[in-house]
Each structure stands twice: as structure tokens, then as C-alpha cells.
Amino acid sequence: MNAPYSVLAAFYDRLGTHPDYDAYADFVIKMTKERGAYCDGITLDLACGTGMLTLALLQRGADVVAVDGSAEMLGEAGMRLMNAGKHALLLNQDMREFELYGSIDSVVCATDSLNYLTKTDDLAKCLSLVHNYLIPDGVFIFDVNTGKKFKEVYGNESYVFDDGDVFCTWQNDFNSKSGICDFLLTFFCREKNGLWKRYEESQREKYYSSATLKKLLTAEGFEILGIYSDFEGTPATEEDLRHYYVCKNIKD
């Protein structure tokens, strides 16, 4: 079994659906500017994946440091930025243990990356590091999958993605007691010789309730400024599949 995103990295941008990263970048910049934290400072794109949000932020004039635990995903990000003529500091680091070279002005952690921290202690470690590196009153923006998403979209469902030379089956196993959902991904990839090769990798996410997130954020030194259901700033509801949190760093 391959490690998470070691196989998927090469096909991530082509398979499934993705958020509007231009709208996401506009949302990040709007929220940080409104709170005076953007200016000419540095934005950390934590768990940057293939760099789609990183690039959108760079195109809007941001200075970005991008961190991801998958070397394969970070490699894709590097290629994306190079092809676009953009540059960011890319760091291959675990978001539970990342180290930066100084303070940052804002942090974004997109596409349910925090849900991949399946132990509460690990999530607390990540939040503690964000608090440590973020300037006083700096803005921390992240999104998480909701209970509705875990139960009704993930659940015990199976999905198929077909992109011509890549065929992927995605099987879910959700445990409502633990809040853990395991994903088994099977890829059939057409090789240069025309033959198909099979790969497998597994992933895992955990559902965190808003009450748990609020408790952890408060304990690690954050004030929640808003929880939204979209990039327009619509207040979050229980019917949403994803929630966007905007928080302010409160230094001791």
C-alpha cells in the first residue's frame, strides 16, 4: 500500500472536484486586509498540496511560504509555480512539526487538510505551531468538512473517476462513533507502452465538531471571528458540507 498522496499527487488536479481557488484567494486577502494583517507580510499556505491556492495568492501579490508533508504533492506545486513564472519558498514538512524561519502575518490551511489530523493531540500541536509563528492579531483561515459531509457524502459510499488514461475507484468506510473515515483509492494508469498498471493508496480523515474546534482554538490562543459556509461570508449552518473559519491570533 502506497503512502497518502504518493500516487494521487500526479492525478490530483485532474480527478474529482476542486474549490474555486481564485475565489478562495480573494476570500483570504479580503479577510486579512479587513483586519490589517495582510499588508506586505508573509502568508503561510499550510498543507499546500499541488499549489493551486499558493499560485492564486502569488498572482494577487502575496509573499507565500508553502508547506506540505507529501514530497510528491510539493513536487507538483513546484512545477506549477515554475510554469507560471512564480516563486514561493516550498517546505516539505509535517504540519504537526513544521519549522519556519520567522514570524508570518497570515495562515491559510485549505481543502479540509486539518481533517487529516486524526488525533486531537495532533490537531492541537498544529494549532499551537500556527499560534507560535503567527504575529499578534494575525489571521488564521482554514476549512473543514462538516458532519453532514462525513455522513452523507463520504459515508460508506464508493466513487469512480475516469480521465482517459487514469481510472480511479474511491471506497469509503465511515465509523460514526470514532468520526474516522478511511478511504481506499485504487488507480489503473495507462503506461507509455499502452499497458495498464494498478496502484493503491489509503487515506484517513476525522470529523471534528464545531464545539471541539472552538475549544481547541481557544485553548491554543485564537479568537474565532467568523464561521462561514462560502467565500461570500454567509454564516455557517448545519446543512453545509464545508465550513470556513476565520480566526485571530491572541498573543499572551
Side-chain angles (χ1 to χ4, degrees):
M1 186 73 66
N2 293 283
Y5 288 104
S6 59
V7 178
L8 180 59
F11 317 114
Y12 180 80
D13 297 343
R14 297 156 55 187
L15 299 177
T17 58
H18 300 286
D20 182 339
Y21 285 101
D22 288 323
Y24 208 138
D26 289 339
F27 177 74
V28 170
I29 291 174
K30 178 177 184 291
M31 290 297 170
T32 50
K33 273 187 173 179
E34 284 181 355
R35 288 149 183 84
Y38 196 68
C39 305
D40 295 320
I42 300 173
T43 298
L44 170 64
D45 186 359
L46 185 60
C48 68
T50 61
M52 287 188 276
L53 180 57
T54 301
L55 177 57
L57 289 167
L58 289 169
Q59 290 171 333
R60 286 155 178 77
D63 188 2
V64 182
V65 173
V67 170
D68 201 273
S70 166
E72 292 83 3
M73 293 287 273
L74 208 60
E76 295 293 324
M79 290 292 294
R80 166 171 277 106
L81 300 189
M82 182 178 68
N83 291 337
K86 296 294 183 179
H87 173 76
L89 177 61
L90 304 180
L91 301 174
N92 182 202
Q93 298 182 351
D94 190 311
M95 61 179 169
R96 298 165 295 183
E97 302 174 342
F98 67 90
E99 296 182 12
L100 303 179
Y101 301 102
S103 298
I104 46 178
D105 296 78
S106 58
V107 179
V108 58
C109 188
T111 55
D112 50 272
S113 295
L114 292 183
N115 288 117
Y116 282 88
L117 299 176
T118 56
K119 295 181 181 179
T120 303
D121 288 347
D122 285 340
L123 178 54
K125 288 178 184 177
C126 178
L127 296 179
S128 178
L129 285 170
V130 172
H131 169 76
N132 179 59
Y133 285 109
L134 195 55
I135 63 171
D137 296 330
V139 175
F140 176 34
I141 297 171
F142 66 90
D143 67 71
V144 290
N145 286 327
T146 64
K148 184 180 178 70
K149 173 91 172 268
F150 274 86
K151 294 172 185 175
E152 299 183 15
V153 178
Y154 285 167
N156 294 294
E157 301 291 337
S158 297
Y159 297 95
V160 172
F161 303 96
D162 187 356
D163 190 39
D165 58 351
V166 180
F167 183 83
C168 173
T169 63
W170 185 302
Q171 297 174 286
N172 302 335
D173 181 13
F174 177 55
N175 185 317
S176 58
K177 281 191 174 182
S178 66
I180 296 286
C181 189
D182 286 299
F183 312 102
L184 175 62
L185 286 73
T186 303
F187 299 89
F188 297 89
C189 308
R190 194 197 306 271
E191 303 291 298
K192 290 183 179 180
N193 60 10
L195 299 178
W196 292 80
K197 188 172 182 178
R198 174 175 173 163
Y199 302 89
E200 285 190 345
E201 74 174 52
S202 62
Q203 297 184 18
R204 171 175 283 189
E205 284 196 16
K206 179 177 174 62
Y207 163 62
Y208 289 102
S209 69
S210 58
T212 296
L213 289 170
K214 289 175 183 177
K215 183 178 179 180
L216 287 170
L217 287 162
T218 300
E220 297 301 334
F222 293 98
E223 175 188 349
I224 299 176
L225 302 178
I227 307 175
Y228 307 104
S229 63
D230 54 34
F231 300 132
E232 302 302 318
T234 305
T237 73
E238 293 184 358
E239 295 304 306
D240 300 323
L241 299 180
R242 187 182 299 273
H243 284 160
Y244 301 86
Y245 283 70
V246 178
C247 309
K248 181 171 70 173
N249 195 30
I250 307 298
K251 290 292 189 181
D252 297 332

